[in-house]
């Protein structure tokens, strides 16, 4: 091996080995992070689904209670309740079912042919008496149960694991419930794994590309600087200078690549905002050693960047906060009105008085009064303008949502459970916080909703 070959070998080989080590380290940490994320995502996702199921059933139970209070007869109220529950069907696999406490099916949008039949002895493929177990849980008050059940959206009779939440309606001796298929959870986790794999592959591609380009640059640089053996000392000095420059470039390239990898990780984390708290808990439970502290620094940095939007996976993980807890109510409503304002129906937002500190639940109650009210204005009112006014008063905060649209008959809306359900939900949410909602409207004369909520 001649001197030129030795120089090239000893210049390129360490660089290639270093880049290989970097690539293997990045891959190892990325896979380790993916595994840790999966371990914390699944229980968090299931807990979120459990909370959603419970909220849906409790919402339906409140509607039934409302119908019991407003309908003239139990029979009329029961029919309205069953019709309402059957309408709450997304066309796929989210629906409500109703049984009496003797196991007779009373309402089921996917199993209409069995309505009126007793399914007390029904068993799933594992031998579990499904209806008996669900009714037992309902008799005890409410709770969850896991079993296998046909998934109607697939068009196949092959049953899938399902988790349901049920509760009793004591006055009517009913059991109502809804559920979610657990294979949907597996699909969501598989999509996360697939995304992580794609990002790892992209990272490896970029590292390989940088390694190739660096090797080419070093090779060409050395070839151009080792041509004349007669001036070996000068050429070697020049080669050392060039090598130092290239080494500095390599360090910069590594830093840039490290930054790019962090950005890639941030991209992954932004889709997983719901797991931020779980990652922090996992890091908290690790032993507090100096070596682990150094190795966990990238994960701690990633965990800090996980706070963000509750978009599509947090409407899955919603089970935490509806709004950003770091923003004031004024900022939340200002952003909401800007986002929802249209050319045909501009929305004006104003604030008067001092808005004192509100609890997160109070912010959510007022936010979730404003959002559906504006949605109704844009969808139904044919208004030329809408106004949202937030006023800080000495002992409460006052929120007005008004429009100059076509209005409606308030009395008729209150007496019609189907059309008045949105107003009923707003009132119930505010009532639970000690507040109240008043509605003023008449045909062709606009609508004005006034919500007041005391400071807690």
């Amino acid at each position: 091996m001649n001197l030129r070959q030795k120089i090239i070998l000893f210049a390129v080989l360490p660089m290639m080995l270093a880049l290989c080590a970097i690539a293997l380290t990045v891959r190892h940490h990325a896979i380790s992070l993916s595994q840790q994320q999966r371990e914390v995502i699944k229980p968090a996702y299931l807990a979120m689904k459990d909370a959603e199921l419970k909220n849906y059933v409790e919402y339906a139970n409140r509607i039934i209670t409302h119908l019991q209070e407003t309908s003239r007869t139990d029979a009329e109220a029961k029919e309205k309740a069953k019709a309402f529950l059957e309408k709450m069907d997304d066309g796929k696999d989210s629906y409500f079912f109703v049984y009496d406490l003797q196991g007779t099916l009373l309402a089921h949008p996917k199993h209409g042919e069995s309505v009126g039949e007793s399914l007390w002895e029904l068993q799933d493929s594992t031998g579990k008496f499904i209806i008996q177990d669900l009714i037992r849980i309902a008799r005890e008050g409410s709770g969850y149960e896991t079993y296998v059940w046909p998934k109607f959206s697939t068009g196949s009779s092959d049953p899938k694991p399902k988790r349901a939440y049920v509760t009793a309606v004591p006055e009517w001796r009913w059991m109502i419930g809804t559920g979610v298929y657990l294979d949907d959870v597996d699909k969501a986790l598989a999509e996360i794994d697939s995304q992580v794999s794609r990002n790892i592959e992209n990272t490896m591609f970029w590292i390989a590309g940088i390694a190739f380009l660096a090797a080419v640059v070093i090779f060409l640089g050395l070839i151009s600087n080792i041509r004349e053996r007669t001036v070996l000392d000068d050429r070697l000095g020049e080669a050392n200078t060039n090598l130092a420059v290239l080494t500095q470039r390599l360090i910069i390239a590594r830093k840039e690549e490290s930054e790019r990898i962090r950005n890639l990780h941030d991209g992954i984390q932004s889709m997983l905002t719901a797991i931020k708290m779980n990652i922090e808990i996992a890091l908290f439970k690790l032993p507090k050693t100096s070596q682990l502290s150094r190795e966990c620094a990238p994960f701690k940095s990633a965990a800090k960047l996980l706070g963000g939007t509750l978009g599509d996976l947090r409407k899955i993980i919603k089970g935490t906060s509806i709004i950003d807890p770091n923003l004031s109510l004024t900022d939340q409503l200002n952003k909401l009105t800007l986002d929802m304002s249209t050319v045909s129906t501009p929305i004006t937002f104003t604030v008067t008085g001092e808005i004192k500190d509100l609890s997160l639940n109070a912010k959510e109650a007022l936010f979730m009064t404003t959002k559906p009210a504006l949605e109704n204005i844009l969808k139904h009112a044919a208004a030329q303008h809408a106004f949202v006014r937030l006023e800080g008063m000495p002992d409460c905060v006052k929120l007005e949502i008004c429009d100059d649209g076509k209005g409606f008959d308030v009395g008729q809306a209150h007496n019609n459970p189907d059309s008045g359900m949105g107003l009923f939900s707003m009132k119930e949410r505010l009532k639970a916080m000690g507040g109240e909602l008043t509605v003023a409207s008449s045909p062709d004369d606009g609508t004005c909703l006034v919500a007041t909520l005391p400071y807690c």
Side-chain angles (χ1 to χ4, degrees):
M1 182 180 295
N2 58 36
L3 181 59
R4 179 184 301 181
Q5 292 172 335
K6 288 180 180 179
I7 293 175
I8 293 174
L9 176 63
F10 287 113
V12 174
L13 184 60
M15 186 274 298
M16 296 302 295
L17 291 175
L19 287 174
C20 288
I22 292 173
L24 291 175
T25 301
V26 170
R27 181 178 178 83
H28 170 74
H29 285 295
I31 293 174
S32 176
L33 177 62
S34 173
Q35 291 172 346
Q36 292 181 19
Q37 288 173 345
R38 186 179 180 90
E39 289 174 0
V40 296
I41 287 172
K42 186 167 185 178
Y45 195 70
L46 290 174
M48 179 195 68
K49 287 298 181 184
D50 281 352
E52 286 183 356
L53 293 176
K54 184 176 180 181
N55 288 338
Y56 292 153
V57 173
E58 289 179 350
Y59 174 73
N61 208 357
R62 288 197 299 270
I63 299 304
I64 290 175
T65 302
H66 176 66
L67 291 173
Q68 290 172 342
E69 295 172 354
T70 57
S71 297
R72 290 175 294 179
T73 67
D74 274 356
E76 180 183 2
K78 288 178 181 179
E79 291 304 316
K80 286 184 177 181
K82 287 190 284 187
F84 170 76
L85 292 174
E86 287 182 343
K87 287 180 180 179
M88 294 181 70
D89 174 12
D90 69 353
K92 294 181 180 178
D93 298 307
S94 179
Y95 54 84
F96 280 88
F97 52 82
V98 183
Y99 291 81
D100 65 21
L101 297 185
Q102 286 72 44
T104 301
L105 179 62
L106 301 179
H108 196 304
K110 306 295 186 181
H111 229 332
E113 71 279 1
S114 298
V115 171
E117 297 181 8
S118 175
L119 302 181
W120 181 260
E121 299 297 330
L122 180 64
Q123 294 177 269
D124 65 11
S125 59
T126 66
K128 177 179 290 186
F129 287 92
I130 304 172
I131 307 306
Q132 293 181 28
D133 288 348
L134 293 175
I135 290 176
R136 173 183 54 78
I137 293 171
R139 286 180 181 275
E140 294 172 356
S142 61
Y144 301 92
E145 178 68 354
T146 302
Y147 51 93
V148 293
W149 191 263
K151 191 172 184 181
F152 298 97
S153 64
T154 63
S156 170
S157 60
D158 182 29
K160 302 294 183 183
K162 185 174 185 178
R163 184 165 177 81
Y165 180 82
V166 296
T167 189
V169 182
E171 294 81 359
W172 291 348
R173 297 184 61 78
W174 278 11
M175 173 195 74
I176 64 172
T178 187
V180 62
Y181 287 92
L182 299 181
D183 62 331
D184 292 337
V185 176
D186 294 333
K187 288 180 181 178
L189 293 174
E191 177 59 28
I192 292 173
D193 290 341
S194 176
Q195 181 64 35
V196 170
S197 297
R198 289 193 296 269
N199 280 279
I200 291 175
E201 291 175 359
N202 289 337
T203 300
M204 294 301 103
F205 172 79
W206 279 100
I207 291 176
I210 290 174
F212 175 77
L213 291 175
V216 170
V217 169
I218 292 175
F219 179 79
L220 294 177
L222 291 175
I223 289 295
S224 65
N225 287 285
I226 311 177
R227 291 183 176 177
E228 298 295 333
R229 289 190 178 185
T230 56
V231 287
L232 182 59
D233 292 338
D234 294 339
R235 297 298 185 185
L236 283 175
E238 187 179 350
N240 288 333
T241 301
N242 290 335
L243 186 58
V245 173
L246 292 173
T247 301
Q248 183 62 33
R249 290 181 184 175
L250 179 58
I251 292 173
I252 294 173
R254 289 177 184 172
K255 290 182 179 178
E256 292 176 349
E257 177 61 11
S258 177
E259 183 65 26
R260 194 194 69 79
I261 291 171
R262 282 197 298 270
N263 290 336
L264 285 175
H265 285 173
D266 292 344
I268 296 171
Q269 305 316 315
S270 66
M271 299 185 320
L272 305 173
T273 53
I275 67 168
K276 176 176 182 292
M277 184 175 294
N278 295 289
I279 291 180
E280 292 175 340
I281 291 172
L283 290 172
F284 178 77
K285 291 183 178 179
L286 288 173
K288 301 297 185 296
T289 66
S290 58
Q291 182 177 358
L292 274 177
S293 178
R294 288 193 300 271
E295 292 178 352
C296 290
F299 300 100
K300 291 179 180 178
S301 175
K304 290 180 181 179
L305 298 176
L306 279 174
T309 240
L310 291 177
D312 312 0
L313 213 221
R314 191 162 168 176
K315 289 176 180 178
I316 280 155
I317 339 197
K318 179 173 168 179
T320 55
S321 175
I322 298 172
I323 62 176
D324 188 345
N326 298 317
L327 293 180
S328 67
L329 178 63
T330 301
D331 292 337
Q332 298 276 3
L333 294 181
N334 185 46
K335 182 178 184 302
L336 176 67
T337 53
L338 288 174
D339 290 343
M340 297 188 70
S341 183
T342 66
V343 175
S344 58
T345 308
I347 303 172
T348 302
F349 174 65
T350 57
V351 183
T352 58
E354 179 185 358
I355 309 300
K356 299 179 182 179
D357 289 339
L358 293 167
S359 68
L360 182 59
N361 289 336
K363 292 179 184 178
E364 288 182 351
L366 293 171
F367 183 89
M368 290 308 294
T369 298
T370 307
K371 188 173 187 293
L374 292 178
E375 289 173 346
N376 286 337
I377 291 172
L378 296 177
K379 186 175 181 181
H380 302 295
Q384 295 183 1
H385 208 120
F387 311 86
V388 178
R389 302 183 183 93
L390 187 64
E391 181 179 1
M393 305 179 74
D395 57 349
C396 68
V397 60
K398 180 180 178 182
L399 174 69
E400 296 181 63
I401 305 129
C402 304
D403 68 80
D404 58 1
K406 59 186 181 181
F408 62 96
D409 188 332
V410 177
Q412 182 179 0
H414 283 312
N415 293 327
N416 186 341
D418 291 332
S419 62
M421 206 60 65
L423 291 175
F424 175 75
S425 299
M426 295 179 196
K427 287 184 176 181
E428 286 297 305
R429 183 183 288 271
L430 291 168
K431 183 178 179 182
M433 299 291 297
E436 64 178 3
L437 177 72
T438 59
V439 183
S441 182
S442 60
D444 301 322
D445 197 27
T447 302
C448 191
L449 277 66
V450 179
T452 56
L453 194 62
Y455 293 113
C456 296

PDB file of all heavy atoms in Angstrom, residues 195-209:
ATOM      1  N   GLN A 195     -45.309   5.673  11.038  1.00  0.00           N
ATOM      2  CA  GLN A 195     -44.752   7.017  10.909  1.00  0.00           C
ATOM      3  C   GLN A 195     -43.344   7.079  11.481  1.00  0.00           C
ATOM      4  O   GLN A 195     -42.443   7.698  10.904  1.00  0.00           O
ATOM      5  CB  GLN A 195     -45.665   8.022  11.641  1.00  0.00           C
ATOM      6  CG  GLN A 195     -45.190   9.464  11.554  1.00  0.00           C
ATOM      7  CD  GLN A 195     -45.199  10.004  10.134  1.00  0.00           C
ATOM      8  OE1 GLN A 195     -46.066   9.660   9.345  1.00  0.00           O
ATOM      9  NE2 GLN A 195     -44.220  10.820   9.801  1.00  0.00           N
ATOM     10  N   VAL A 196     -43.151   6.438  12.635  1.00  0.00           N
ATOM     11  CA  VAL A 196     -41.818   6.416  13.243  1.00  0.00           C
ATOM     12  C   VAL A 196     -40.826   5.712  12.321  1.00  0.00           C
ATOM     13  O   VAL A 196     -39.695   6.166  12.123  1.00  0.00           O
ATOM     14  CB  VAL A 196     -41.873   5.733  14.621  1.00  0.00           C
ATOM     15  CG1 VAL A 196     -40.451   5.486  15.156  1.00  0.00           C
ATOM     16  CG2 VAL A 196     -42.656   6.578  15.608  1.00  0.00           C
ATOM     17  N   SER A 197     -41.242   4.581  11.729  1.00  0.00           N
ATOM     18  CA  SER A 197     -40.358   3.843  10.825  1.00  0.00           C
ATOM     19  C   SER A 197     -39.968   4.686   9.623  1.00  0.00           C
ATOM     20  O   SER A 197     -38.805   4.685   9.193  1.00  0.00           O
ATOM     21  CB  SER A 197     -41.052   2.555  10.358  1.00  0.00           C
ATOM     22  OG  SER A 197     -41.301   1.692  11.436  1.00  0.00           O
ATOM     23  N   ARG A 198     -40.939   5.428   9.072  1.00  0.00           N
ATOM     24  CA  ARG A 198     -40.629   6.288   7.920  1.00  0.00           C
ATOM     25  C   ARG A 198     -39.633   7.385   8.296  1.00  0.00           C
ATOM     26  O   ARG A 198     -38.719   7.695   7.528  1.00  0.00           O
ATOM     27  CB  ARG A 198     -41.917   6.914   7.366  1.00  0.00           C
ATOM     28  CG  ARG A 198     -42.821   5.917   6.647  1.00  0.00           C
ATOM     29  CD  ARG A 198     -43.907   6.633   5.845  1.00  0.00           C
ATOM     30  NE  ARG A 198     -44.818   7.371   6.701  1.00  0.00           N
ATOM     31  CZ  ARG A 198     -45.930   6.868   7.196  1.00  0.00           C
ATOM     32  NH1 ARG A 198     -46.253   5.597   6.940  1.00  0.00           N
ATOM     33  NH2 ARG A 198     -46.727   7.591   7.948  1.00  0.00           N
ATOM     34  N   ASN A 199     -39.787   7.949   9.481  1.00  0.00           N
ATOM     35  CA  ASN A 199     -38.866   8.989   9.902  1.00  0.00           C
ATOM     36  C   ASN A 199     -37.467   8.431  10.162  1.00  0.00           C
ATOM     37  O   ASN A 199     -36.470   9.094   9.869  1.00  0.00           O
ATOM     38  CB  ASN A 199     -39.397   9.679  11.163  1.00  0.00           C
ATOM     39  CG  ASN A 199     -40.459  10.713  10.853  1.00  0.00           C
ATOM     40  OD1 ASN A 199     -40.180  11.840  10.484  1.00  0.00           O
ATOM     41  ND2 ASN A 199     -41.711  10.301  10.976  1.00  0.00           N
ATOM     42  N   ILE A 200     -37.409   7.216  10.714  1.00  0.00           N
ATOM     43  CA  ILE A 200     -36.097   6.582  10.911  1.00  0.00           C
ATOM     44  C   ILE A 200     -35.435   6.330   9.569  1.00  0.00           C
ATOM     45  O   ILE A 200     -34.231   6.588   9.383  1.00  0.00           O
ATOM     46  CB  ILE A 200     -36.254   5.277  11.709  1.00  0.00           C
ATOM     47  CG1 ILE A 200     -36.674   5.577  13.158  1.00  0.00           C
ATOM     48  CG2 ILE A 200     -34.947   4.478  11.709  1.00  0.00           C
ATOM     49  CD1 ILE A 200     -36.966   4.342  13.975  1.00  0.00           C
ATOM     50  N   GLU A 201     -36.193   5.833   8.591  1.00  0.00           N
ATOM     51  CA  GLU A 201     -35.635   5.583   7.263  1.00  0.00           C
ATOM     52  C   GLU A 201     -35.129   6.877   6.618  1.00  0.00           C
ATOM     53  O   GLU A 201     -34.055   6.901   6.010  1.00  0.00           O
ATOM     54  CB  GLU A 201     -36.699   4.924   6.382  1.00  0.00           C
ATOM     55  CG  GLU A 201     -37.040   3.488   6.799  1.00  0.00           C
ATOM     56  CD  GLU A 201     -38.186   2.919   5.980  1.00  0.00           C
ATOM     57  OE1 GLU A 201     -38.710   3.652   5.118  1.00  0.00           O
ATOM     58  OE2 GLU A 201     -38.550   1.763   6.216  1.00  0.00           O
ATOM     59  N   ASN A 202     -35.908   7.955   6.757  1.00  0.00           N
ATOM     60  CA  ASN A 202     -35.472   9.238   6.197  1.00  0.00           C
ATOM     61  C   ASN A 202     -34.187   9.727   6.864  1.00  0.00           C
ATOM     62  O   ASN A 202     -33.289  10.266   6.201  1.00  0.00           O
ATOM     63  CB  ASN A 202     -36.574  10.289   6.371  1.00  0.00           C
ATOM     64  CG  ASN A 202     -37.769  10.023   5.469  1.00  0.00           C
ATOM     65  OD1 ASN A 202     -37.639   9.354   4.444  1.00  0.00           O
ATOM     66  ND2 ASN A 202     -38.929  10.525   5.854  1.00  0.00           N
ATOM     67  N   THR A 203     -34.121   9.546   8.190  1.00  0.00           N
ATOM     68  CA  THR A 203     -32.914   9.953   8.909  1.00  0.00           C
ATOM     69  C   THR A 203     -31.702   9.177   8.423  1.00  0.00           C
ATOM     70  O   THR A 203     -30.623   9.739   8.188  1.00  0.00           O
ATOM     71  CB  THR A 203     -33.108   9.753  10.422  1.00  0.00           C
ATOM     72  OG1 THR A 203     -34.215  10.540  10.863  1.00  0.00           O
ATOM     73  CG2 THR A 203     -31.860  10.181  11.189  1.00  0.00           C
ATOM     74  N   MET A 204     -31.861   7.862   8.283  1.00  0.00           N
ATOM     75  CA  MET A 204     -30.755   7.032   7.801  1.00  0.00           C
ATOM     76  C   MET A 204     -30.329   7.435   6.381  1.00  0.00           C
ATOM     77  O   MET A 204     -29.152   7.442   6.038  1.00  0.00           O
ATOM     78  CB  MET A 204     -31.178   5.558   7.809  1.00  0.00           C
ATOM     79  CG  MET A 204     -31.427   4.960   9.193  1.00  0.00           C
ATOM     80  SD  MET A 204     -29.988   5.037  10.281  1.00  0.00           S
ATOM     81  CE  MET A 204     -30.453   6.424  11.325  1.00  0.00           C
ATOM     82  N   PHE A 205     -31.310   7.800   5.559  1.00  0.00           N
ATOM     83  CA  PHE A 205     -31.005   8.216   4.190  1.00  0.00           C
ATOM     84  C   PHE A 205     -30.148   9.479   4.197  1.00  0.00           C
ATOM     85  O   PHE A 205     -29.150   9.583   3.465  1.00  0.00           O
ATOM     86  CB  PHE A 205     -32.312   8.463   3.428  1.00  0.00           C
ATOM     87  CG  PHE A 205     -32.119   9.075   2.072  1.00  0.00           C
ATOM     88  CD1 PHE A 205     -31.739   8.298   0.991  1.00  0.00           C
ATOM     89  CD2 PHE A 205     -32.314  10.445   1.872  1.00  0.00           C
ATOM     90  CE1 PHE A 205     -31.551   8.864  -0.253  1.00  0.00           C
ATOM     91  CE2 PHE A 205     -32.130  11.022   0.628  1.00  0.00           C
ATOM     92  CZ  PHE A 205     -31.740  10.225  -0.440  1.00  0.00           C
ATOM     93  N   TRP A 206     -30.537  10.460   5.031  1.00  0.00           N
ATOM     94  CA  TRP A 206     -29.777  11.704   5.075  1.00  0.00           C
ATOM     95  C   TRP A 206     -28.365  11.479   5.621  1.00  0.00           C
ATOM     96  O   TRP A 206     -27.389  12.083   5.151  1.00  0.00           O
ATOM     97  CB  TRP A 206     -30.512  12.732   5.934  1.00  0.00           C
ATOM     98  CG  TRP A 206     -31.621  13.414   5.183  1.00  0.00           C
ATOM     99  CD1 TRP A 206     -32.948  13.144   5.241  1.00  0.00           C
ATOM    100  CD2 TRP A 206     -31.467  14.467   4.223  1.00  0.00           C
ATOM    101  NE1 TRP A 206     -33.649  13.957   4.390  1.00  0.00           N
ATOM    102  CE2 TRP A 206     -32.773  14.789   3.748  1.00  0.00           C
ATOM    103  CE3 TRP A 206     -30.382  15.157   3.718  1.00  0.00           C
ATOM    104  CZ2 TRP A 206     -32.989  15.772   2.804  1.00  0.00           C
ATOM    105  CZ3 TRP A 206     -30.608  16.157   2.776  1.00  0.00           C
ATOM    106  CH2 TRP A 206     -31.896  16.446   2.336  1.00  0.00           C
ATOM    107  N   ILE A 207     -28.247  10.634   6.641  1.00  0.00           N
ATOM    108  CA  ILE A 207     -26.917  10.344   7.184  1.00  0.00           C
ATOM    109  C   ILE A 207     -26.051   9.675   6.129  1.00  0.00           C
ATOM    110  O   ILE A 207     -24.864  10.011   5.957  1.00  0.00           O
ATOM    111  CB  ILE A 207     -27.023   9.467   8.447  1.00  0.00           C
ATOM    112  CG1 ILE A 207     -27.644  10.268   9.596  1.00  0.00           C
ATOM    113  CG2 ILE A 207     -25.647   8.943   8.867  1.00  0.00           C
ATOM    114  CD1 ILE A 207     -27.875   9.476  10.850  1.00  0.00           C
ATOM    115  N   ALA A 208     -26.633   8.715   5.392  1.00  0.00           N
ATOM    116  CA  ALA A 208     -25.878   8.039   4.332  1.00  0.00           C
ATOM    117  C   ALA A 208     -25.468   9.023   3.244  1.00  0.00           C
ATOM    118  O   ALA A 208     -24.336   8.966   2.722  1.00  0.00           O
ATOM    119  CB  ALA A 208     -26.726   6.907   3.740  1.00  0.00           C
ATOM    120  N   GLY A 209     -26.373   9.943   2.897  1.00  0.00           N
ATOM    121  CA  GLY A 209     -26.039  10.939   1.880  1.00  0.00           C
ATOM    122  C   GLY A 209     -24.903  11.849   2.316  1.00  0.00           C
ATOM    123  O   GLY A 209     -23.982  12.148   1.544  1.00  0.00           O
TER     124      GLY A 209
END
